[in-house]
Amino acid sequence: MKRIILLLSLVLSCFQSQAALEILITEGLDTARPIAIVPFSYEGQGDAPLKLSSIIAADLARSGKFNPIAEINMPQKPNVESDVDYAAWAGLGVEAILIGHVKEVALEQYQVHITLIDIVRGQITGGSSKILSEGQLIESNDHIMYDADVTADAPRFRRLGHHISDSVFETLTGIPGAFKTRIAYVQVDVEEGIEQPYKLMVADYDGYGERQLLSSQEPLMSPSWSPDATKLAYVTFENRQAQIYIQDLYSTAREMISSFPGINGAPQWSPDGTQMAMVLSKDGNPEIYVMNLASKKLTRVTKHRAIDTEPSWSPDGKKLIFTSERGGKPQLYSVNLDTMRLKRKTFTGDMNLGGSYTPDGLDLVMVNRTRGNYHIGRLDLTSGSLQVLTKTYLDESPSIAPNGSMIIYSTLHEGNQVLALVSLDGRFKARLPSGSGQVKSPAWSPMQ
Amino acid sequence: MQSSKIIKALALALPIMTLTACGSTSDAESQVETNAAETAKAEKANSQDVAVSAIEKEKAFKIQERKRKQDALRQNTVINFEFDQSRIAGEYFEVLEAHAVYLRDNASVKVVVEGHCDERGTPEYNIALGERRAKAVARYLENLGVSSSQISTVSYGEEKPTDRSRTEAAFAANRRAILVY
């Protein structure tokens, strides 16, 4: 496959300074669908708060499914549908274009009108198709795929851009967009003399709006989102032992939920938010438990002298997938929480660890070790075939976007731990180089 | 056999008989004789004392030497492991023995055994592996008679590497248990 290294400097340059984690697409744009996000016209005082078309184009490029053409290559920059030159766009192979108009309706209040146009359909009908309805020929405009008015104030303008991206993405793919999601991750400052080098961070999925939730002298691990995306569970060693805390993202209030002797690790919220799967070694060695968050009552799920760890819920909340070395080397097993029946799921490679179900429950994503190399893999649960998705070094901690389109994971690049993205089919790859420190343990938020 | 014993008895008896014979003539002589005998006796006892204290000195020296050696060994608080393993290599037996002796002799002293891993494998799995390493060291000390109440363990997995260079040597250095007093 042709490797394209494309720094999206054009589209990112206007807001680069605000992003701690910038996204660098390393592979996959050549197979993405060409579209165009035409710069929106603006009507109001001064300038528009942000260039919406750039935010949307960057979102769609990062989805791995679309390749928005550069502004400089656009044959025209229409803002109303009647101005669109279908032949010119079709000549470039562009499937669809998004046009828009931004209007300041009150001080720092903006209304945005957007129209998504199917170039292929528009070229056939000339932009004015008619259909027979109740015996009458009426205008169908079936080349207009999406047309909407949205409003926002200045502070929410970036979010508005992501909202439009969601609508465009869903219209074109049938899959809900996940551009309004966030990621939690751990950053470690490795320079000498830093008092609290371990930091728990939260940022928009594209790295903007980065916020430090907590810093500590001792390691922080395993952030996990509540299903309503308002809280994080994580592991902290601040008291010289592993403890699991839940922290509210808005009030920043914290609650310790587990502090048994030994390991208190790998918290994972159940899909309904009432339970927490976790690993405790209070009974001698690491076992999977489920805690009822209201009563704090524990249910022991595994009982084996080998290591059992990394529980992750099935989308219906009826099963857990976990890592166990009961077969000699770490492999993935599922356990039905009603019957407690176990089933080994992986057989390919030296080891398989850190498994999680895709949102449709049809695949498992995991860390696969083959011939000593750690890569992100995807197991098709129907066919049983395992596909290795990444080629990077020491890949770990995969977390799947809530729409199942992308995996964020931690990898090693030029001696630093950084975050990276890979699409579920392995075709699209991107890196999120960080300005400082080691970045790891990413957790993609649920839809919000 | 019998005759040689008689000869020995005579050899002892003869000078005594001679002394008794001229006993009245020289009390001073006998005094001297007695003194000489006493001195000899004292000397004999003295040399015995010297011999005993030499052995004791040697013993004390050995203990001191051993203590010094164990103190030196106890300076070593890091036990390294093979990849994905928690077996304690033979080269660390002496070091752990030294720690065990110290802990046995100082029942009030407590030690934390930290378990660490290299960065290969997932963070969660490494937490489990690190605990296994820490517990292997704790068990070894307990088997040498250290009270379990003196030992606690904590696993940091791959979260606190001592060397972040990601070379094979760095990975080897990071796979470790540390005794923290």
Side-chain angles (χ1 to χ4, degrees), chain A residues 247-265:
Chain A
Q247 186 159 356
D248 188 291
L249 289 178
Y250 301 99
S251 73
T252 70
R254 315 204 296 159
E255 182 198 1
M256 188 185 71
I257 62 161
S258 179
S259 179
F260 293 99
I263 295 170
N264 295 264

Side-chain angles (χ1 to χ4, degrees), chain A residues 190 198 218-219 221-222 237 262-263 266 281 284 286 307 309-310 325 329-330 351 353 367 369 374 394 396-397 412 415 438 440, chain B residues 83-85 114 119-129 131-132 135 153-161 164 166 168 171:
Chain A
V190 292
Y198 300 93
E218 295 297 326
M221 290 180 76
S222 322
F237 287 82
I263 295 170
S281 65
I307 291 172
T309 186
E310 300 176 318
E325 55 156 25
K329 287 284 174 198
M351 296 181 186
L353 307 113
V367 177
R369 181 183 193 261
Y374 293 87
L394 282 189
E396 60 188 27
S397 307
L412 212 58
Q438 311 286 306
K440 55 187 187 176
Chain B
F83 173 71
D84 206 23
Q85 295 296 318
E114 293 182 2
E119 290 168 283
R120 289 175 288 183
T122 59
E124 311 294 353
Y125 179 75
N126 280 332
I127 283 289
L129 180 59
E131 181 178 72
R132 193 183 268 174
K135 282 191 169 169
T153 59
V154 59
S155 171
Y156 288 107
E158 61 175 85
E159 308 303 315
K160 290 180 122 180
R164 289 186 183 270
R166 277 106 183 182
E168 278 303 323
F171 285 148

Side-chain angles (χ1 to χ4, degrees), chain A residues 1-2 4 27-34 64-67 95 423 425-428:
Chain A
M1 188 186 280
K2 195 175 140 207
I4 299 177
E27 205 173 295
L29 274 178
D30 51 344
T31 55
R33 293 157 63 181
K65 295 209 168 9
F66 298 100
N67 183 8
E95 284 181 27
S423 59
D425 60 10
R427 286 206 295 220
F428 172 87

